[in-house]
Amino acid sequence: MSAAGNSDGVGTLTVRPLDPLKDAELLHSWVTDPKAAFWMMQDAKLQDVEREYMAIAASEHHDAYIGLHDGRPAFLMEKYDPRYVELVGLYEPEPGDVGMHFLVAPTDRPVHGFTRAVITAVMTELFADPRTRRVVVEPDVTNKAVHALNGTVGFVPEREIDKPEKRALLSFCTREQFLNRHTPATRGVSP
């Protein structure tokens, strides 16, 4: 994947493929932080994180990336094919559907607007692939903050679904919905 963009007032956001072994310690510190409770890995050991991301790296239907803020690791991005991962049997996938997860690294010095810049950069990156017609997410129904954030980039909730690990809010964002929210003047990410 290439550069995700330069966000106004936030800095440059880029993504690179995640290395499950080299990045495991960093990821472990992120996913076990109390602020990452919805990632559901609070009690994970380093080996659990390595194993999880080695499985993702080995999958032809799931990819993980480290997001960089001005060259430093700052977020995690995952994309997956919902026909084979996460949502199998829970909805009718359409051609061009891509599933997405993202996690902003915990920090002692939050930057105003950073999380919104990250989700915008992630969506820009996903829609950079012309085959992507719609992004699918399934956050926990109780994660009101991420529902609001998803709405800012164009996601529309469809319905609640029961996954093995949680009750989730199935939501979709088409390319058109995203672009309507993020014209070049308002999207905060350079084309």
Side-chain angles (χ1 to χ4, degrees), residues 92-104:
E92 274 305 313
E94 295 181 4
D97 278 2
V98 174
M100 179 271 287
H101 298 137
F102 83 101
L103 175 70
V104 175

Side-chain angles (χ1 to χ4, degrees), residues 3 17 40 46 49 59 73 76 81 85 90 95 101 110 124 134 146 170:
M40 294 178 287
L46 178 60
V49 174
S59 173
L76 171 63
D81 186 334
V85 178
L90 296 175
H101 298 137
T124 300
R134 185 170 74 160
V146 87
L170 184 66

Side-chain angles (χ1 to χ4, degrees), residues 143-160:
N143 192 345
K144 304 298 184 198
V146 87
H147 302 317
L149 184 64
N150 286 346
T152 67
V153 294
F155 278 98
V156 176
E158 182 174 284
R159 61 186 162 88
E160 292 184 8

Side-chain angles (χ1 to χ4, degrees), residues 65-135:
Y65 304 88
I66 291 290
L68 307 171
H69 174 228
D70 293 336
R72 294 193 179 113
F75 62 97
L76 171 63
M77 170 186 161
E78 294 180 17
K79 73 174 186 173
Y80 63 88
D81 186 334
R83 295 175 300 168
Y84 304 101
V85 178
E86 292 284 346
L87 293 168
V88 177
L90 296 175
Y91 90 107
E92 274 305 313
E94 295 181 4
D97 278 2
V98 174
M100 179 271 287
H101 298 137
F102 83 101
L103 175 70
V104 175
T107 181
D108 294 333
R109 295 189 309 259
V111 175
H112 179 72
F114 186 71
T115 303
R116 184 173 177 167
V118 166
I119 193 173
T120 301
V122 166
M123 296 292 286
T124 300
E125 193 69 29
L126 293 172
F127 283 123
D129 182 339
R131 297 170 297 182
T132 301
R133 295 179 53 208
R134 185 170 74 160
V135 178

